[in-house]
Amino acid sequence: MSPLNGSGANPLRDPADRRLPRIAGPSGLVIFGVTGDLSRKKLMPAVYDLANRGLLPPGFSLVGFARRDWEDEDFAQVVHDAVKEHARTPFREEVWQQLIQGMRFVQGTFDDDEAFERLRSTIDELDKQQGTGGNFAFYLSVPPGAFPVVIQQLKKSGLADQSKGSWRRAVIEKPFGHDLKSAEELNKVVHEVFEPDQVFRIDHYLGKETVQNILALRFANTMFEPIWNRSYVDHVQITMAEDIGIGGRAGYYDGIGAARDVIQNHLLQLLALTAMEEPSSFGADALAREKTKVLGAVRLPKDLGADTVRGQYAAGWQGGEKVIGYLQEDGIDPESKTDTYAALKLEIDNRRWAGVPFYLRTGKRLGRRVTEIAVVFQRAPHSPFDHTATEELGQNAIVIRVQPDEGITVRFGSKVPGTSMEIRDVSMDFAYGESFTESSPEAYERLILDVLLGDANLFPRTEEVELSWKILDPVEEYWDEHGRPAQYKSGTWGPAEADEMLARDGRSWRRP
Amino acid sequence: MKIDLTDTTAGEINKALTEGRRAIGTPAVGMVLTLVIVTDEENAYDALRAATDASREHPSRTLVVIRRVSRTPRDRTTSRLDAEVRVGADAGAGETVVLRLYGEVSDHADSVVLPLLLPDAPVVVWWPVDAPLDPAEDPLGALAQRRVTDTYAAEQPVRELAARAETYAPGDTDLAWTRITPWRSMLAAALDQVDCEVRSVEVEGEEFNPSCELLAMWLADRLGVPVQRSLSSGPGLTAVRMETTCGPVVLDRADGSLANLSIQGQPGRAVALQRRDTAELIAEELRRLDPDDTYAAALRYGVERLSAGAEAVATLDGVPAGPTEKAADKAAEDEAVAEVAVAESEAGTEEGEAERPTPNSLARKAASK
């Protein structure tokens, strides 16, 4: 006979049994702001996909909280439609039947004490009916302004209290403030109610396979790490480009801008993963320690005017479509100084990276939608070939393509077939879509599962968020006081000033 | 794109593969493994279709080895190799070569397959039917890291399980085992939810379905409690009942898709447990290529040690004995294992030990007999 208890001594569980997936324990997910876009397009489909892959526990419960006057059935219908439209895996009736048993809807506003009381009783009821064991994650898919209210309500109604053996977790989405001060305030509000290990900050980039693969590429192989330093790397370019404009997000976007929206979280996280030292383990603490260390070593350029660039998209043609400029968008002040393009040159003050610039850029209405990290290597110190032979040879590069078409490209020189010696760039390609087709889960699937499992290594911590703001705040302050964003034509790769910024260093942007 | 080659050699097939790839403009990148399917003409179509579907998750070179039956002595002495090379859209996310072996060469299939393996990539051999008695010793099996058999397709599945336990080598695996992954994962999740000891287990499922035995053996091996195998009319596995110190935990699937999990003191819950098609099984099988120790442990527990219900005894002993000598040999082996098991357990009781013999020691002793 074998003693059993719920906390991992289950005799049917064996680490060597790798077929058995990591299934979340008994638990439920409460989504605030469940009527929003994110919830319908990403969260609900991710929950279904997890269930379809058999990764959710029996009795998993999904609770929606919103102002709408819905019954449980209406909510189930909305989830059903969202799943049919957006889920990655095919719709299967029996999976749906499993999910629908645990679906509840609680109607109310965030300042309504009674609604939270109802939420509480719904959760208690689910514990009894579905066996969720008091384990609930609260997903705050709400505007930043509503954060403090919801958090306080959770505290007031006792929903944040973890009773013995069960857990409560809070999941929050960016923006994590709009500068260091507001981020600190937000963290204070959150941590008044939830302990640091109960808080999961979603940066969906970190849930992407390729981003996790940066660590695998660097630390599971031997052939990259020896050259991953200032002796061989000339510079690093991290790009996140979007082809769309601000769409309907004018209210949120104006006053925030590209740098706060993208660089502060996504790009600085990518920088941290690219530049960090090897962590002692893949555990959350060890990872956070190394990321914090490298973010702490990031140094801004001395001349912020010369080594930072911001821009606004102007009217133009984007991919065969005539589009208007940022200042002409609905709901945007024609005098707005908000940046829709931002480029920074950063350096990292440590032995590995001293003197190697990291160029970060992001923008809307650029050539195409792409996110990539390009590590560009120095030229060979000496070439036995004569000048004409290597005229067409560029610099070697390793490019990690984050999206779309996830994969890795290695660029190097190769002899052109023929009698003369001529060397030209070729690329060698590894595409996730080719070697492991279709099995890549969506970022949100991975992240939601990690929240339910309590696995925190893909979530940025308070210190990382605050350090990122420390890097960005001086730039934003400088921009506030000096000049205006440069205009760039929609559908191009950003303002001329950005090209000049690299040209001064004798470099140029890659065309991603 | 399809290229047909008659009376050919592995060298020409390789050339055709290169030409085919050039013609459709894609180089041979990204293929992660070579899958060798050894089958007869009758089962080749279904097996290849499952492999092609699975190749969307694991782009691979698929080699289908079909041994053609020779009907005359003249046929048997002549020897011919025909091949059908498919690349691009005709071959899923990879490339496929269908090899038809006539006459003498069909005894030397490994000489055809060896030059066609992808360089430096793992090899998986899959026998949809008629797997060799000892897969690891088979000339084709010896080329592979992973050998996939399917006891479900065997004439006498239960005997076949005992034989597989005898010849198990790391890398062997069985689709009958793959089929029960969702059950195993759900049962493990069910035990996560209670805090009590399991006293006994009953596994219920259709006759001649070795997945039931494998599940029962896995449970017996992990839990160390008596497990009873009982029969139902299916489809497939229908129920697992665990008697625990805090009441029964039952996972019940009557219709082959939606199961019901009931735990004493908790409300019943619906759980999706759809029976999966072969493509999904193969895809799961290809996901990990390291030896499956859990399978080995379950298999070596020994099918004869399951306490069977009255009808189930009939499955074990009442099956008409196989017409061939091989089956008789196997039966003898079964007895040997059973004897050891009985002897061991008797010895155990005499010494007043509650411990059961470990599966490994059992297999070793049986082998030394």
Side-chain angles (χ1 to χ4, degrees):
Chain A
M1 299 248 173
S2 16
L4 286 193
N5 60 52
S7 57
N10 183 344
L12 295 184
R13 294 235 178 259
D14 174 12
D17 190 350
R18 297 199 201 78
R19 274 176 208 264
L20 291 197
R22 301 190 314 161
I23 291 193
S27 55
L29 179 70
V30 181
I31 304 179
F32 293 98
V34 76
T35 46
D37 253 14
L38 177 82
S39 160
R40 279 191 304 109
K41 286 190 183 148
K42 297 286 184 192
L43 303 183
M44 293 172 183
V47 166
Y48 171 83
D49 287 331
L50 284 172
N52 199 1
R53 289 161 67 210
L55 300 179
L56 293 182
F60 176 82
S61 302
L62 180 67
V63 182
F65 185 104
R67 205 176 321 156
R68 268 334 132 81
D69 195 7
W70 280 348
E71 293 298 320
D72 290 348
E73 294 77 37
D74 303 321
F75 174 57
Q77 187 58 43
V78 171
V79 180
H80 184 268
D81 294 347
V83 166
K84 277 233 158 142
E85 196 178 342
H86 299 290
R88 182 176 64 89
T89 53
F91 187 83
R92 299 211 314 229
E93 190 57 35
E94 72 276 5
V95 176
W96 178 249
Q97 287 307 326
Q98 173 186 346
L99 268 182
I100 200 171
Q101 289 193 339
M103 266 184 218
R104 302 287 184 278
F105 184 76
V106 177
Q107 192 268 331
T109 52
F110 298 144
D111 49 12
D112 180 359
D113 292 357
E114 255 174 60
F116 278 82
E117 209 41 57
R118 279 201 297 278
L119 178 60
R120 198 188 140 95
S121 60
T122 306
I123 284 179
D124 290 344
E125 197 187 294
L126 283 172
D127 283 345
K128 287 198 199 83
Q129 290 181 357
Q130 293 280 103
T132 37
N135 302 319
F136 277 87
F138 300 102
Y139 200 115
L140 274 66
S141 177
V142 299
F147 263 47
V149 193
V150 179
I151 299 270
Q152 277 307 319
Q153 284 284 16
L154 286 175
K155 185 185 182 186
K156 213 157 105 188
S157 53
L159 282 165
D161 303 338
Q162 318 190 76
S163 54
K164 194 176 156 286
S166 71
W167 51 257
R168 295 290 156 95
R169 291 176 187 141
V171 187
I172 55 182
E173 277 273 350
K174 72 165 191 179
F176 311 123
H178 52 85
D179 56 16
L180 179 60
K181 200 164 143 273
S182 60
E184 282 173 346
E185 274 165 22
L186 178 69
N187 285 334
K188 217 177 105 215
V189 169
V190 174
H191 291 308
E192 239 169 58
V193 179
F194 291 100
E195 292 298 311
D197 63 344
Q198 284 177 273
V199 182
F200 291 75
R201 290 177 183 77
I202 293 246
D203 182 334
H204 67 269
Y205 261 66
L206 298 187
K208 285 189 183 293
E209 287 291 334
T210 358
V211 173
Q212 298 166 43
N213 195 36
I214 298 174
L215 298 176
L217 177 86
R218 291 189 54 198
F219 302 125
N221 297 306
T222 50
M223 57 194 282
F224 302 111
E225 203 50 19
I227 53 169
W228 213 259
N229 56 50
R230 66 184 307 269
S231 311
Y232 297 92
V233 176
D234 180 62
H235 69 284
V236 178
Q237 299 184 8
I238 304 180
T239 303
M240 178 183 153
E242 289 175 283
D243 53 5
I244 51 167
I246 53 161
R249 292 169 73 215
Y252 162 73
Y253 201 84
D254 200 40
I256 295 287
R260 286 194 180 102
D261 190 35
V262 174
I263 292 186
Q264 180 269 332
N265 38 56
H266 305 320
L267 294 197
L268 284 175
Q269 282 289 331
L270 294 183
L271 174 136
L273 292 172
T274 311
M276 69 190 231
E277 297 297 318
E278 182 169 26
S280 56
S281 77
F282 199 54
D285 288 334
L287 267 176
R289 211 155 37 233
E290 293 303 334
K291 283 202 286 181
T292 321
K293 213 165 84 187
V294 74
L295 284 173
V298 168
R299 187 166 52 79
L300 280 169
K302 278 196 194 70
D303 183 357
L304 286 175
D307 288 330
T308 69
V309 173
R310 64 184 157 151
Q312 274 176 348
Y313 59 84
W317 286 82
Q318 210 283 326
E321 200 185 340
K322 193 167 187 203
V323 293
I324 54 172
Y326 179 71
L327 297 177
Q328 289 91 53
E329 296 271 7
D330 264 354
I332 298 296
D333 174 10
E335 292 296 305
S336 170
K337 280 168 73 178
T338 303
D339 46 309
T340 67
Y341 177 99
L344 303 182
K345 172 182 171 181
L346 299 176
E347 294 207 11
I348 297 174
D349 269 347
N350 61 22
R351 183 171 279 249
R352 187 192 281 259
W353 294 116
V356 178
F358 282 68
Y359 299 102
L360 273 51
R361 64 171 160 168
T362 179
K364 290 198 174 287
R365 286 257 188 262
L366 296 182
R368 70 185 186 97
R369 171 174 168 264
V370 59
T371 303
E372 62 166 41
I373 302 164
V375 179
V376 182
F377 291 89
Q378 295 166 12
R379 285 178 189 280
H382 166 76
S383 166
F385 307 103
D386 58 37
H387 175 69
T388 49
T390 55
E391 205 166 20
E392 283 186 77
L393 179 66
Q395 282 166 286
N396 296 162
I398 293 177
V399 182
I400 299 164
R401 303 193 305 270
V402 178
Q403 72 173 17
D405 185 25
E406 307 190 355
I408 294 166
T409 305
V410 178
R411 199 170 68 144
F412 55 90
S414 172
K415 184 184 173 302
V416 178
T419 47
S420 67
M421 187 42 125
E422 196 190 333
I423 296 165
R424 195 187 286 169
D425 284 330
V426 293
S427 3
M428 196 160 74
D429 214 51
F430 156 71
Y432 258 84
E434 250 168 48
S435 293
F436 312 97
T437 323
E438 271 187 15
S439 63
S440 283
E442 271 278 332
Y444 277 97
E445 265 175 83
R446 173 69 197 264
L447 295 175
I448 290 177
L449 182 63
D450 279 359
V451 170
L452 298 177
L453 288 164
D455 204 345
N457 57 10
L458 296 179
F459 299 86
R461 301 205 170 170
T462 324
E463 311 86 73
E464 292 168 51
V465 172
E466 294 184 1
L467 276 171
S468 308
W469 283 121
K470 271 184 200 157
I471 296 168
L472 197 62
D473 274 358
V475 178
E476 292 284 352
E477 277 160 28
Y478 179 87
W479 284 350
D480 275 347
E481 284 155 26
H482 299 82
R484 299 190 55 81
Q487 298 285 315
Y488 60 96
K489 243 165 83 184
S490 288
T492 62
W493 282 107
E497 285 82 348
D499 297 334
E500 286 158 19
M501 173 177 124
L502 261 73
R504 277 194 296 275
D505 295 346
R507 301 188 174 101
S508 64
W509 291 107
R510 262 175 59 84
R511 194 186 65 241
Chain B
M1 161 166 203
K2 251 185 203 175
I3 304 170
D4 277 316
L5 302 167
T6 40
D7 203 358
T8 185
T9 61
E12 283 175 35
I13 296 169
N14 259 328
K15 215 189 285 171
L17 279 167
T18 317
E19 274 169 21
R21 278 196 307 261
R22 282 238 173 101
I24 60 167
T26 50
V29 290
M31 279 190 286
V32 291
L33 54 92
T34 311
L35 174 64
V36 183
I37 306 176
V38 187
T39 180
D40 53 18
E41 198 70 71
E42 183 190 345
N43 292 288
Y45 178 80
D46 285 340
L48 181 55
R49 207 173 62 170
T52 309
D53 286 346
S55 79
R56 285 178 220 293
E57 189 173 321
H58 309 275
S60 49
R61 176 177 288 178
T62 308
L63 306 175
V64 187
V65 178
I66 302 173
R67 293 192 173 102
R68 299 288 299 220
V69 185
S70 309
R71 292 208 166 71
T72 62
R74 187 176 57 252
D75 280 356
R76 273 190 283 278
T77 49
T78 55
S79 169
R80 197 177 96 210
L81 169 65
D82 289 353
E84 190 182 312
V85 176
R86 303 181 197 168
V87 290
D90 289 319
E95 43 197 36
T96 301
V97 184
V98 182
L99 302 159
R100 289 192 171 80
L101 282 57
Y102 301 82
E104 267 191 296
V105 70
S106 61
D107 295 331
H108 303 281
D110 52 314
S111 76
V112 181
V113 166
L114 186 68
L116 295 176
L117 300 176
L118 287 172
D120 221 11
V123 180
V124 178
V125 178
W126 172 31
W127 292 273
V129 288
D130 294 333
L133 278 177
D134 189 344
E137 291 295 314
D138 180 88
L140 281 170
L143 297 173
Q145 274 86 347
R146 190 96 172 171
R147 295 165 294 273
V148 185
T149 56
D150 191 357
T151 41
Y152 186 71
E155 181 72 29
Q156 295 178 19
V158 177
R159 280 184 205 288
E160 182 105 350
L161 280 180
R164 293 273 165 254
E166 280 291 291
T167 58
Y168 175 84
D172 284 3
T173 173
D174 185 345
L175 289 186
W177 170 253
T178 321
R179 284 186 187 95
I180 56 175
T181 306
W183 278 83
R184 297 197 301 123
S185 119
M186 203 42 71
L187 289 168
L191 286 195
D192 281 343
Q193 309 209 344
V194 292
D195 195 359
C196 38
E197 282 173 33
V198 179
R199 293 236 166 94
S200 69
V201 184
E202 181 188 353
V203 176
E204 182 196 270
E206 66 186 5
E207 209 173 351
F208 304 116
N209 188 332
S211 293
C212 308
E213 273 79 15
L214 278 167
L215 183 63
M217 287 193 284
W218 175 65
L219 288 166
D221 180 56
R222 298 297 310 174
L223 297 171
V225 299
V227 177
Q228 181 180 319
R229 157 83 162 104
S230 55
L231 297 181
S232 73
S233 53
L237 267 158
T238 48
V240 173
R241 299 187 188 86
M242 297 192 274
E243 287 301 331
T244 71
T245 44
C246 37
V249 174
V250 179
L251 186 58
D252 185 0
R253 182 187 71 176
D255 64 352
S257 77
L258 190 65
N260 189 52
L261 174 66
S262 57
I263 298 175
Q264 179 85 23
Q266 293 182 20
R269 269 163 276 169
V271 172
L273 272 181
Q274 176 73 25
R275 303 190 76 191
R276 300 181 297 169
D277 61 19
T278 316
E280 279 177 82
L281 300 176
I282 286 292
E284 177 185 320
E285 215 37 75
L286 299 181
R287 223 162 277 157
R288 302 203 69 99
L289 298 172
D290 48 346
D292 189 341
D293 297 333
T294 315
Y295 165 68
L299 189 64
R300 282 178 173 155
Y301 177 82
V303 66
E304 66 293 328
R305 290 177 60 207
L306 298 172
S307 44
E311 319 99 305
V313 178
T315 355
L316 247 178
D317 303 329
V319 200
T324 62
E325 270 183 36
K326 278 175 189 165
D329 283 354
K330 274 204 284 176
E333 282 163 14
D334 286 1
E335 277 168 33
V337 180
E339 272 171 39
V340 177
V342 171
E344 286 273 6
S345 57
E346 277 170 8
T349 18
E350 271 166 28
E351 289 160 30
E353 282 175 13
E355 281 299 313
R356 61 193 169 82
T358 68
N360 285 343
S361 72
L362 211 63
R364 267 199 309 278
K365 291 199 177 159
S368 66
K369 266 213 156 183

